[in-house]
Amino acid sequence: MRIDERIAEKYADLSPQERRAADVLLVHLDDLAIYRAAELAELAGVSKATMSRLFRHLGFDDFTEVRDHLRTLRSHGVPVNLEGAPSLAAHLEQETGNLQKALAGLEDGGLETAAKLVHDAQRVVVVGLRSGYPVALHLRQSLGQARFGVTLAPQPGQALSDELIGLGPKDAAVVVSFRRRPDNVDGLLEILQKAGVPTILLADPSARTLAARADVWLECPLATDLAFDSYAVAMSVAAVLADRVLDLAGKAGVQRTTMIDASYRSLREIENR
């Protein structure tokens, strides 16, 4: 269990002093790892011994084990500030490394295969789940510039199953799913696999065990030293994929983008500058 869940479970059994200490842990949950145990005890107005007893009541040997617990949570995508805010230079270095890794992985032919599946399909469904939804929304908009028949699922207020029934081998699905994903992603990919739907999985490295159910896996590292994951690489991969599909579309793609742009301007949906 997460540390906040442990506190909730044990709270009634804690002494008044330990409750004060637990309250401080909850207040500072997002940046807990940047403190020392003595500093937390001082903030709570309790002794270091009281803070140590609280850790043991919560199932930790000491504060070092609490830190390890927080790092484990962060590795699963839970927003936890581990060591304070990194410098912008350090963040840029990590983002650059993530992008280089992702783009290098596309050079093994996965990008071209994915683009051809999307280009050749009669219908394309882009599935966005939880944090993957904004990336899926952007990808659907971009692919819609290159070809007809691209939809986003699930639509607001609709069940995901409504969007999948009827898809077959002549269609294609792009599943965008990142860590802290719903528990039903494996079932979703299994349904698409059984229906013979060519499937592209755009996901972070934690989806490695799911990749076997997809025809193509486009890996997007998103881990940072920040409290939150970064989806900059995923957006970049989505842009590269849409660009390849537009290139495959040739003159038909150019004609479609030109017509869409003309409609934008006619309806004054974009600035005319």
Side-chain angles (χ1 to χ4, degrees):
M1 291 192 297
R2 301 192 310 266
I3 188 170
D4 55 324
E5 294 174 329
R6 299 186 191 199
I7 291 173
E9 184 181 74
K10 300 287 187 180
Y11 198 81
D13 299 326
L14 300 177
S15 70
Q17 293 290 88
E18 289 171 341
R19 289 184 184 182
R20 288 173 58 183
D23 290 340
V24 166
L25 296 186
L26 291 174
V27 169
H28 293 279
L29 193 61
D30 289 342
D31 58 354
L32 194 59
I34 70 173
Y35 290 93
R36 295 191 300 272
E39 292 173 325
L40 293 169
E42 183 177 352
L43 287 172
V46 302
S47 67
K48 291 186 288 186
T50 297
M51 188 62 71
S52 296
R53 283 197 300 272
L54 173 62
F55 294 148
R56 289 195 295 271
H57 284 165
L58 297 178
F60 302 106
D61 289 337
D62 50 31
F63 192 54
T64 298
E65 191 167 321
V66 174
R67 287 175 178 269
D68 291 340
H69 169 72
L70 295 171
R71 288 189 176 91
T72 299
L73 291 179
R74 186 66 194 92
S75 71
H76 287 84
V78 179
V80 177
N81 192 325
L82 294 179
E83 305 294 345
S87 68
L88 293 179
H91 178 60
L92 175 61
E93 182 178 0
Q94 182 153 23
E95 287 279 52
T96 301
N98 284 346
L99 183 58
Q100 289 173 336
K101 180 179 180 181
L103 296 184
L106 298 180
E107 294 179 349
D108 64 0
L111 174 64
E112 302 305 327
T113 301
K116 191 171 190 313
L117 289 177
V118 172
H119 172 266
D120 294 347
Q122 289 185 354
R123 293 177 297 167
V124 178
V125 176
V126 182
V127 180
L129 302 170
R130 285 180 53 82
S131 55
Y133 198 86
V135 178
L137 181 64
H138 178 66
L139 178 58
R140 192 227 68 83
Q141 191 275 338
S142 299
L143 291 177
Q145 297 273 324
R147 52 153 297 155
F148 179 76
V150 183
T151 59
L152 178 70
Q155 291 293 317
Q158 297 297 311
L160 186 57
S161 297
D162 296 334
E163 317 288 346
L164 302 180
I165 300 302
L167 292 177
K170 294 183 179 181
D171 305 309
V174 183
V175 178
V176 184
S177 178
F178 303 113
R179 63 187 186 182
R180 304 197 80 191
R181 58 183 58 84
D183 196 38
N184 62 355
V185 178
D186 186 58
L188 162 64
L189 293 171
E190 183 179 9
I191 288 173
L192 293 170
Q193 187 179 46
K194 287 182 177 179
V197 181
T199 302
I200 300 147
L201 178 62
L202 196 156
D204 66 285
S206 69
R208 187 175 302 276
T209 57
L210 300 173
R213 291 197 181 276
D215 295 271
V216 183
W217 178 32
L218 303 181
E219 182 178 342
C220 302
L222 45 77
T224 71
D225 289 331
L226 303 174
F228 297 92
D229 290 336
S230 171
Y231 301 95
V233 171
M235 283 292 194
S236 182
V237 171
V240 171
L241 174 59
D243 178 81
R244 288 292 191 275
V245 174
L246 179 61
D247 184 59
L248 289 174
K251 291 183 179 179
V254 173
Q255 183 179 27
R256 180 172 175 81
T257 57
T258 301
M259 292 175 63
I260 290 174
D261 182 67
S263 181
Y264 282 160
R265 298 180 186 281
S266 177
L267 295 176
R268 301 180 65 184
E269 292 180 314
I270 61 173
E271 293 178 326
N272 286 300
R273 291 185 179 179

